[in-house]
Amino acid sequence: MHAPAPPGPVGRRRVALSLTALALLLTPACTTPSNASDNPTAAPPLPAPDDGDGGSGEASGTGSSGSGDGPSDDVPDGPLSDRVVVIDPGHNGGNADAPDEINAMVPAGPGEKACDTVGAETADGYAEHEFNWELSLLVRDRLEADGATVVLTRSDDEGVGPCIDDRARIGNEADADAAVSIHADGGPESGRGFHVITPGDVPGFTDDIVEPSRLLAGDLRREYREGTGVPYADYLADEGLDERTDLGGLNMSDVPKVFLEAGNLRNPEDAALLTDPGWRERAADAIARGVAVYLLRS
Ligand SMILES: [Zn+2]
């Protein structure tokens, strides 16, 4: 079920530092052809697609305090200062009690789809919308600590919707540099793992976002796998990537966008991770890093 997780104060500074370190690492090394904008952090290709253990480097470093000296009021200065990211926590806590609103048809590209769905849950009843929400807040904290402007598509976990087309519209109106919809799947109990969904080619709708979304998906997939220990889904997708043309949240987007299906809530092994607050901190680190790597190289 494309779409949910809890907040947590931990780790933020560490990630801030590691992203800063990442930016520093990327800058001097090999150079990208010529697209190097004048952004000082224009980034070249990253280390390696393999699993190495990535550059968690943790370079000792630079100023700690996230709050910084920057001129801006409340947004800390950081490698992502000029970037806008939309984080879209899938589903919502009130959806189950609002079938009329949720089932109303809305534009989803060439056709229509239901406004939203209720989402998945674990065997013990931990709901996907809650997971999505909690994890999204953690990701937001990390990206903000690195200076990004983060827009969430909903403001709490008790409301209804928004509808899938509105979720996309929020990203468009924010002119986001990247948008990530956070979900967890409700797959077969025997299947485990995560996957990232990218927009397929839907003429007139996704032409402009297929390529950058693919890059975003690649960075997110690598960092998430390395950072969480969750394997690629073994019951669908292809090495953790799935291209789809039927998702309104992607079809209606004009900005690079992907869905993360963070794991399979119906699978006991995945569920044990997804329900663990400590694991969610690590997952948020990984997601924020994936987004940052994409932004710094684009
Ligand atoms: Zn979902």
Side-chain angles (χ1 to χ4, degrees), residues 176-201:
D177 296 293
V180 178
S181 193
I182 294 184
H183 289 249
D185 206 5
E189 189 182 333
S190 59
R192 70 165 303 204
F194 81 97
H195 65 287
V196 180
I197 304 173
T198 61
D201 187 29

Side-chain angles (χ1 to χ4, degrees), residues 1-4 89-91 116-120 128-129 132 181-186 259-261 265:
M1 322 264 128
H2 33 262
H91 316 283
D116 205 356
T117 54
V118 172
E128 184 198 344
H129 63 78
N132 297 341
S181 193
I182 294 184
H183 289 249
D185 206 5
F259 278 44
L260 170 67
E261 294 282 359
L265 287 171

Side-chain angles (χ1 to χ4, degrees), residues 5-6 120-122 124-128 130-131 134 265 274-275 280:
E121 62 178 16
T122 65
D124 294 334
Y126 178 62
E128 184 198 344
E130 185 181 350
F131 170 81
E134 292 173 336
L265 287 171
L274 274 59
T275 56
R280 285 196 295 266

Side-chain angles (χ1 to χ4, degrees), residues 200-224:
D201 187 29
V202 182
F205 288 92
T206 59
D207 324 62
D208 46 344
I209 63 163
V210 167
E211 285 306 322
S213 300
R214 225 173 252 165
L215 295 176
L216 172 60
D219 289 328
L220 182 59
R221 178 183 67 155
R222 182 188 57 252
E223 297 301 326
Y224 189 81

